[in-house]
Amino acid sequence: MQKFFIEEAYFNDLTLPEDLIYQAYKVLRYKTDDKFIIGVKEENYLVKIKNISLKELKYEIVEKLDINNELDLYVTIIQGYPKGDKFEDIIKHGTELGASYFIPLIMDRTQFKMDDKRQENKLIRFNKIVKEASEQSFRNIVPKVLSFSYLNNIDLSCYDAIFVCYEEEAKNGKLQGLKNVLKELKSKSNIAFIIGPEGGISDKEINYLKNIKNTYFISLGKRILRTETAPLYCLSAVSYERELK
Amino acid sequence: MQKFFIEEAYFNDLTLPEDLIYQAYKVLRYKTDDKFIIGVKEENYLVKIKNISLKELKYEIVEKLDINNELDLYVTIIQGYPKGDKFEDIIKHGTELGASYFIPLIMDRTQFKMDDKRQENKLIRFNKIVKEASEQSFRNIVPKVLSFSYLNNIDLSCYDAIFVCYEEEAKNGKLQGLKNVLKELKSKSNIAFIIGPEGGISDKEINYLKNIKNTYFISLGKRILRTETAPLYCLSAVSYERELK
């Protein structure tokens, strides 16, 4: 069943914003009595269409749904900004896998040439991708893509654990850290994964991170993962550890 | 460091096939004394270039490397063939994550229109993608992409465990199975994950699979994953459970 995230004002009027009315009428071809799910302020409602046209849509509430599809940890993916459109794939699939926040990180080895205007447009686009992925994957909330940042501009003190994915660990065969910490974390903890861009994390950045509290250098198995695969491993690991009994 | 998988004959002559000589000379711009890794028959050798030109490359063996980057289970991804180029992403990232085999599966809800010739060309392309991904991720072996198949043509009796990713389980909140079985499997076991295409697995297919021995219907966390995200979750879970201590 289709899910739409909407602002509270539309829900109070038992309608949808204009673009979603268009989508419901023209793309999904909804008719009177068709049902869909509304996500509003982290709550979910099953609703039924009372009347629909290209200009107007009214629904009634069938029931409030008691579903929670969120991870029990708040996970931030701090992603060294990769080449091409890879960041879009990361946030799309990362949303399906339960991330709460994404931070596109300009690191020493990021090849980055975007002026402020372009960054602003990108962020609008990123947040649209994340909203659609949230609807498709039945998230309770829509994750946020935060502004492009530099490592030393991020307040890392707000995280209960910061996992730095460092491929040298994998090459050296040190396979520990992530599992032990994930098992022990209290529900509702804030955690972050820091993932380097294509060239990896620089020595300077590693040294900076070594001085941050609650930082763990982890490996993601024995093989060398691409920068766009690593965050999906991290999020799958969180789900596997915390959701599968 | 670059890794190349080559046939034994080239290794016996301490050279590379023509296309890799071109790549080494023109793309990577290797010179005498540069080193790279050769993967041959599941073994790895560090080698050093003795002479190189556009037409010829000779190397000497520096040492045999004792590295094993393989999962301790043989994992087959039996993937309901998805739309567009998604299968290529699945095998690329699935190779990084340690899969041994991929089977493109024509399921009830696969939209599939490929004649035999086109299938053959696709398989050549798929196996090339997998080889490159193996080199990049430092695999010991190159996984195989097997022929396009139908569910009832696959011999499922060769697997010690078959996990069917069935999203109804996720919707119903039944979150068990995968973890218990993954923990208990003996090293070198053969396992398979069956993943539906965009429309999911049909009731007919589910009923067929219910009668297969060693089949487990599993969920991959609370959210609904896209068909191309599910296999990456499965492989990450195997690595997380079996490789991270």
Side-chain angles (χ1 to χ4, degrees):
Chain A
M1 192 173 295
Q2 181 67 45
K3 178 170 185 175
F4 295 119
F5 285 98
I6 60 170
E7 300 291 324
E8 206 180 359
Y10 293 104
F11 185 65
N12 292 341
D13 289 345
L14 298 171
T15 188
L16 294 176
E18 215 171 281
D19 59 325
L20 294 184
I21 295 179
Y22 181 89
Q23 195 188 335
Y25 186 72
K26 279 290 205 183
V27 183
L28 299 165
R29 300 190 183 195
Y30 281 159
K31 304 204 179 344
T32 304
D33 290 340
D34 279 346
K35 290 174 184 169
F36 56 89
I37 295 169
I38 292 284
V40 57
K41 291 188 79 186
E42 307 196 20
E43 288 175 350
N44 294 283
Y45 295 88
L46 181 68
V47 303
K48 188 168 81 171
I49 294 175
K50 283 173 68 181
N51 55 66
I52 181 167
S53 70
L54 188 56
K55 291 284 163 211
E56 201 185 47
L57 189 156
K58 284 277 182 182
Y59 50 79
E60 60 186 25
I61 297 167
V62 178
E63 60 176 326
K64 188 175 166 186
L65 299 171
D66 184 24
I67 45 176
N68 179 10
N69 292 338
E70 296 301 310
L71 290 171
D72 83 322
L73 303 175
Y74 300 105
V75 182
T76 301
I77 298 293
I78 303 177
Q79 172 74 45
Y81 195 71
K83 291 182 192 168
D85 292 334
K86 285 178 197 168
F87 192 73
E88 300 190 2
D89 288 332
I90 291 168
I91 59 176
K92 185 167 79 175
H93 299 307
T95 296
E96 292 166 52
L97 291 166
S100 290
Y101 298 94
F102 299 94
I103 301 178
L105 191 67
I106 304 167
M107 300 187 83
D108 289 347
R109 293 184 186 144
T110 303
Q111 294 177 11
F112 192 77
K113 286 177 211 156
M114 257 191 237
D115 59 24
D116 288 355
K117 184 68 198 161
R118 182 114 187 273
Q119 288 183 33
E120 212 176 285
N121 289 337
K122 278 278 183 195
L123 279 181
I124 293 168
R125 183 176 159 78
F126 292 158
N127 280 294
K128 191 162 171 271
I129 288 169
V130 160
K131 181 162 176 282
E132 286 170 5
S134 301
E135 290 172 346
Q136 178 266 326
S137 58
F138 283 79
R139 293 286 302 265
N140 283 55
I141 61 143
V142 181
K144 285 193 177 58
V145 184
L146 307 178
S147 301
F148 286 87
S149 301
Y150 291 89
L151 196 50
N152 54 14
N153 293 341
I154 300 175
D155 178 12
L156 293 172
S157 68
C158 64
Y159 298 107
D160 301 300
I162 300 156
F163 299 103
V164 182
C165 304
Y166 188 45
E167 74 177 33
E168 293 307 315
E169 295 286 297
K171 282 184 187 159
N172 296 336
K174 292 179 195 159
L175 304 172
Q176 54 189 354
L178 180 58
K179 202 179 239 174
N180 291 340
V181 183
L182 274 189
K183 270 186 207 296
E184 299 299 329
L185 282 166
K186 286 196 188 115
S187 195
K188 307 292 173 193
S189 293
N190 271 299
I191 67 170
F193 289 96
I194 299 181
I195 296 144
E198 279 86 358
I201 304 177
S202 74
D203 290 347
K204 203 178 100 200
E205 289 163 334
I206 290 293
N207 285 330
Y208 173 82
L209 289 166
K210 277 185 179 159
N211 290 316
I212 305 285
K213 215 179 125 187
N214 295 331
T215 299
Y216 304 87
F217 291 82
I218 60 162
S219 116
L220 306 174
K222 293 182 178 179
R223 292 150 303 282
I224 306 302
L225 303 184
R226 283 176 192 262
T227 180
E228 69 268 32
T229 314
L232 309 188
Y233 183 115
C234 297
L235 289 161
S236 300
V238 174
S239 165
Y240 180 82
E241 180 61 53
R242 309 279 305 190
E243 294 189 319
L244 269 54
K245 300 295 170 200
Chain B
M1 192 173 293
Q2 180 67 46
K3 177 169 184 175
F4 295 118
F5 284 99
I6 59 170
E7 299 291 323
E8 206 180 358
Y10 294 104
F11 185 66
N12 291 340
D13 289 345
L14 298 171
T15 187
L16 294 176
E18 215 171 279
D19 59 325
L20 293 183
I21 294 179
Y22 181 90
Q23 195 187 335
Y25 186 72
K26 279 290 205 183
V27 183
L28 299 165
R29 301 188 182 197
Y30 282 160
K31 305 204 177 345
T32 304
D33 289 340
D34 280 344
K35 289 175 185 169
F36 56 88
I37 295 169
I38 291 285
V40 58
K41 292 189 80 188
E42 306 196 21
E43 289 178 348
N44 293 284
Y45 295 89
L46 181 68
V47 303
K48 189 168 80 169
I49 294 176
K50 284 173 67 180
N51 56 65
I52 181 168
S53 70
L54 187 55
K55 292 284 162 213
E56 200 185 48
L57 190 156
K58 284 276 182 184
Y59 49 79
E60 61 186 25
I61 298 168
V62 179
E63 60 176 324
K64 187 174 166 189
L65 300 171
D66 183 22
I67 45 176
N68 179 9
N69 292 338
E70 296 300 311
L71 290 171
D72 82 324
L73 302 176
Y74 299 105
V75 183
T76 300
I77 298 293
I78 304 177
Q79 172 74 44
Y81 195 71
K83 292 181 193 168
D85 292 334
K86 285 178 196 166
F87 192 73
E88 299 190 2
D89 288 331
I90 291 167
I91 59 176
K92 185 167 78 175
H93 299 308
T95 295
E96 292 166 51
L97 291 164
S100 290
Y101 298 94
F102 299 93
I103 301 177
L105 190 66
I106 304 168
M107 301 187 83
D108 289 346
R109 293 185 185 142
T110 302
Q111 294 177 11
F112 193 77
K113 288 176 211 157
M114 258 193 238
D115 59 25
D116 288 357
K117 183 70 200 159
R118 182 112 189 275
Q119 288 182 34
E120 211 177 285
N121 289 337
K122 277 279 182 194
L123 280 180
I124 292 168
R125 183 175 159 78
F126 292 158
N127 280 294
K128 190 161 172 270
I129 289 169
V130 161
K131 181 161 177 280
E132 285 170 5
S134 302
E135 290 171 347
Q136 178 267 324
S137 57
F138 284 80
R139 294 285 302 265
N140 283 55
I141 60 144
V142 181
K144 285 194 177 57
V145 184
L146 307 179
S147 301
F148 286 86
S149 300
Y150 291 89
L151 196 51
N152 54 13
N153 292 341
I154 299 176
D155 178 11
L156 293 171
S157 69
C158 64
Y159 299 108
D160 301 300
I162 301 157
F163 300 102
V164 182
C165 305
Y166 188 46
E167 75 176 33
E168 293 307 315
E169 296 286 297
K171 281 184 186 160
N172 296 336
K174 291 179 196 157
L175 305 171
Q176 54 190 354
L178 180 59
K179 202 179 240 173
N180 293 338
V181 183
L182 275 189
K183 271 186 206 298
E184 300 299 330
L185 282 166
K186 284 195 189 120
S187 195
K188 307 291 175 193
S189 293
N190 271 300
I191 66 169
F193 290 95
I194 299 181
I195 296 143
E198 279 86 357
I201 304 177
S202 74
D203 291 347
K204 204 178 100 200
E205 289 163 334
I206 290 292
N207 286 329
Y208 173 81
L209 289 166
K210 277 184 178 159
N211 291 315
I212 305 286
K213 218 178 124 187
N214 296 330
T215 299
Y216 303 87
F217 291 81
I218 60 162
S219 117
L220 306 175
K222 294 181 177 179
R223 293 149 304 280
I224 306 301
L225 303 183
R226 285 176 190 261
T227 180
E228 69 268 32
T229 314
L232 310 188
Y233 184 115
C234 297
L235 288 161
S236 300
V238 174
S239 164
Y240 181 82
E241 180 60 55
R242 310 278 307 189
E243 295 189 319
L244 268 56
K245 300 297 171 201

